[in-house]
Amino acid sequence: MKEHFLLKLGEIVLKGQNRWQFENKLKQNVNRRMRPFGEFNVNIIQSTVFVEPQNEDCDLDGAWDACHYIFGVVALCRCRPCEKDLDAIYAAVREYLDDDLLSAKSFKVESKRADKRFPLNSIQISQDIGGRIAEAYPHLLVDVHHPEYTVHVEIRDQFAYVHGPAEPGAGGLPTGVGGRAAVLLSGGIDSPVAGYMIAKRGVELECIHFFSYPYTSELAKDKVLELARLMTRYCGRMTVNIVSFTEIQEAIRDNCPEEYFTLIMRRFMMEISERIARDHGCGCLVTGENLGQVASQTMEAMGVTAAAVNLPIFTPLIGMDKEEIVTIARRIGTMETSILPYEDCCTVFTPKHPRTKPSLEHVIKAERKLDREALIQRALENTELKKVRYHG
C-alpha cells in the first residue's frame, strides 16, 4: 500500500461542543495545502487527520513538507498502512522500517489500539511484534525506557499503521478559527514574528506596510513582500496593503516638534491601519512592539500611540527579549530576509532626542497644525494592494 500521513491534533482535543468547527476548518486547510501536490483523501477520525494519496502521481515529499506548516497539527508521521493482522503488521515493519532498525542499537515497540474490536490489547501487540523484531535483528537491544528507536503500531478502524517516531508539527489552532487581524509589517525582525505568533492562534492575517519613497527604496518594498511571502508558508495567502506615507512624514517634519516626530508618525500609522483593518473585517491590530526596546516602546509612548484607535492592539512580543525573538525568526525562516540592509520608514526623520514619557495632551497639541483627515484620506487613496502566496 502507498504511504499515508497521520497528523495528530493538538489543543483542539480539549475543545467541547464546538470541537467539530475546529476539526472542519483544519480539514479544509489540509485539503487546500495538499492540492498543489496531487489528489489526496483527507479525513479526521479519533483526534487524527488521515491523509491518503489517491494515485501514483502524488508528490508525497512535497505534501509531507507542507504538512509541517499547518497550524492545528502538533505532530505528524509518515506511515505504512496494512491489514489488521499480526503477520501483516510485522511484514510492514520489516519492509518499511528495515533501514532504521538496521542502523539502531536499541528499540522498543509502542502500540495503540484505537479499534477496540481487535482481539489483542496494546501490550500484547507490542510484545508480539517486539519479540519478532528481536529475533530478526539480533544486534538490537530491547530498551523500554530509553530506546534509540521506537516502532509505533496503531490499530485504527480501517487499517493498522506502522511508523517510526513522529515529527513535531506547527501546533496552535487551525487558520481561520480565530478571526482576522491586521499586522503592521515593517522590514525588521520583530513584526513577521509577531504576525506568525498571532496566526498560530488560528487568526487570518492582513498585512499593512508603510512605504516612504524616495526615502525608502523599491528594494525595501520587495523585502517586505518577501517577508509576507515567507509568512504565508504558515498562515496561507494574504494581501499586503502598501500605504504611501511620504507626505505624512514630511508634514510631520515641517510642522511638529522634533521630539514628537516618531510618536505622531506612529499615531498616523495606527489610525490608517485601523481603517484598513475595518474595511477587511479585521478585529484587531498586531504590532511587533517590545517593551523598552526603543524610545517609542515605553509604557507611556505605547499608551499615546494606542489612544489613536479604538480597535484592540495585540503585541505578542511585548515581554520577550531580543534573543527569543531572533530564535523564532530563524526557525520560521524570516531572519535572513529581515536583516537585509534596506531602509525602513520608521527610521526616516528620527529625532535625536525622542520623548520617552510623553503625555497624550502634549502630543495632541503638537499635531494641531496638521490637516489630519486630509492626510489620512490621501494615504488611503494611494494604497497599493499586493497579493502574496507561498511557493518553492
Side-chain angles (χ1 to χ4, degrees), residues 32-44:
R32 186 179 69 252
R33 293 294 185 92
M34 294 299 99
R35 205 166 292 141
F37 307 104
E39 185 178 350
F40 291 82
N41 186 40
V42 178
N43 288 296
I44 299 182

Side-chain angles (χ1 to χ4, degrees), residues 28-40 42 51 55 57-67 70 232-233 236-237 389-392:
Q28 291 173 15
N29 293 346
V30 175
N31 267 311
R32 186 179 69 252
R33 293 294 185 92
M34 294 299 99
R35 205 166 292 141
F37 307 104
E39 185 178 350
F40 291 82
V42 178
V51 181
N55 53 59
D57 296 332
C58 291
D59 177 5
L60 290 182
D61 290 338
W64 173 244
D65 181 67
C67 286
I70 300 174
T232 63
R233 189 174 199 178
R237 59 191 176 187
R389 63 187 306 165
Y390 187 79
H391 54 84

Side-chain angles (χ1 to χ4, degrees), residues 322-352:
K322 196 65 177 184
E323 191 56 40
E324 291 174 307
I325 299 169
V326 166
T327 297
I328 297 174
R330 292 189 189 283
R331 177 164 54 83
I332 66 176
T334 57
M335 183 65 186
E336 294 305 313
T337 301
S338 290
I339 61 176
L340 291 174
Y342 303 128
E343 312 86 350
D344 183 295
C345 77
C346 293
T347 63
V348 177
F349 310 133
T350 302
K352 292 181 180 179

Side-chain angles (χ1 to χ4, degrees), residues 247-248 268 272 275 370-382:
E247 182 186 8
I248 291 174
F268 270 96
I272 291 169
R275 299 194 192 189
L370 301 172
D371 188 345
R372 190 178 190 88
E373 185 59 31
L375 287 168
I376 289 173
Q377 284 299 326
R378 284 195 292 274
L380 290 170
E381 289 168 3
N382 291 308

Side-chain angles (χ1 to χ4, degrees), residues 58 121 127 245-246 313 341 344 347 350 358 387:
C58 291
N121 62 32
Q127 289 174 336
F245 205 52
T246 307
I313 300 172
D344 183 295
T347 63
T350 302
K387 295 188 180 297

Side-chain angles (χ1 to χ4, degrees), residues 121-372:
N121 62 32
S122 297
I123 294 176
Q124 291 169 325
I125 297 168
S126 295
Q127 289 174 336
D128 185 285
I129 301 300
R132 299 193 198 197
I133 293 173
E135 289 183 7
Y137 299 87
H139 72 285
L140 279 176
L141 298 176
V142 176
D143 185 346
V144 297
H145 299 295
H146 303 288
E148 184 178 330
Y149 189 78
T150 301
V151 174
H152 293 267
V153 177
E154 301 190 32
I155 310 296
R156 298 284 185 163
D157 286 344
Q158 188 173 3
F159 299 111
Y161 296 90
V162 168
H163 61 85
E167 297 182 12
L173 294 172
T175 301
V177 299
R180 290 179 58 79
V183 180
L184 278 71
L185 187 64
S186 71
I189 297 170
D190 299 342
S191 57
V193 175
Y196 160 82
M197 292 183 68
I198 206 70
K200 192 173 182 178
R201 303 310 303 160
V203 177
E204 294 180 330
L205 302 184
E206 186 84 14
C207 290
I208 302 170
H209 175 65
F210 292 89
F211 182 60
S212 296
Y213 184 81
Y215 303 105
T216 56
S217 66
E218 288 293 328
L219 289 174
K221 183 199 293 188
D222 293 341
K223 171 184 172 180
V224 168
L225 292 173
E226 174 63 10
L227 286 172
R229 187 191 70 82
L230 292 169
M231 291 167 64
T232 63
R233 189 174 199 178
Y234 287 92
C235 53
R237 59 191 176 187
M238 66 174 75
T239 300
V240 182
N241 298 260
I242 301 172
V243 181
S244 178
F245 205 52
T246 307
E247 182 186 8
I248 291 174
Q249 288 191 289
E250 291 178 337
I252 294 170
R253 177 199 61 190
D254 295 341
N255 295 282
C256 301
E258 182 183 358
E259 61 185 349
Y260 293 126
F261 278 3
T262 303
L263 283 169
I264 295 172
M265 175 192 73
R266 291 188 65 78
R267 282 169 55 81
F268 270 96
M269 286 179 171
M270 289 296 176
E271 189 164 349
I272 291 169
S273 296
E274 180 178 42
R275 299 194 192 189
I276 292 173
R278 291 188 185 281
D279 286 345
H280 291 86
C282 299
C284 72
L285 304 178
V286 178
T287 74
E289 290 170 305
N290 177 254
L291 188 61
Q293 183 169 238
V294 294
S296 63
Q297 294 176 17
T298 63
M299 285 188 186
E300 295 84 355
M302 291 172 68
V304 167
T305 300
V309 297
N310 293 313
L311 279 179
I313 300 172
F314 290 175
T315 53
L317 313 185
I318 195 68
M320 300 174 69
D321 64 42
K322 196 65 177 184
E323 191 56 40
E324 291 174 307
I325 299 169
V326 166
T327 297
I328 297 174
R330 292 189 189 283
R331 177 164 54 83
I332 66 176
T334 57
M335 183 65 186
E336 294 305 313
T337 301
S338 290
I339 61 176
L340 291 174
Y342 303 128
E343 312 86 350
D344 183 295
C345 77
C346 293
T347 63
V348 177
F349 310 133
T350 302
K352 292 181 180 179
H353 303 288
R355 183 63 66 92
T356 58
K357 294 186 177 182
S359 73
L360 180 59
E361 178 184 358
H362 290 158
V363 174
I364 291 175
K365 183 178 179 180
E367 295 174 338
R368 284 178 180 165
K369 288 186 177 180
L370 301 172
D371 188 345
R372 190 178 190 88

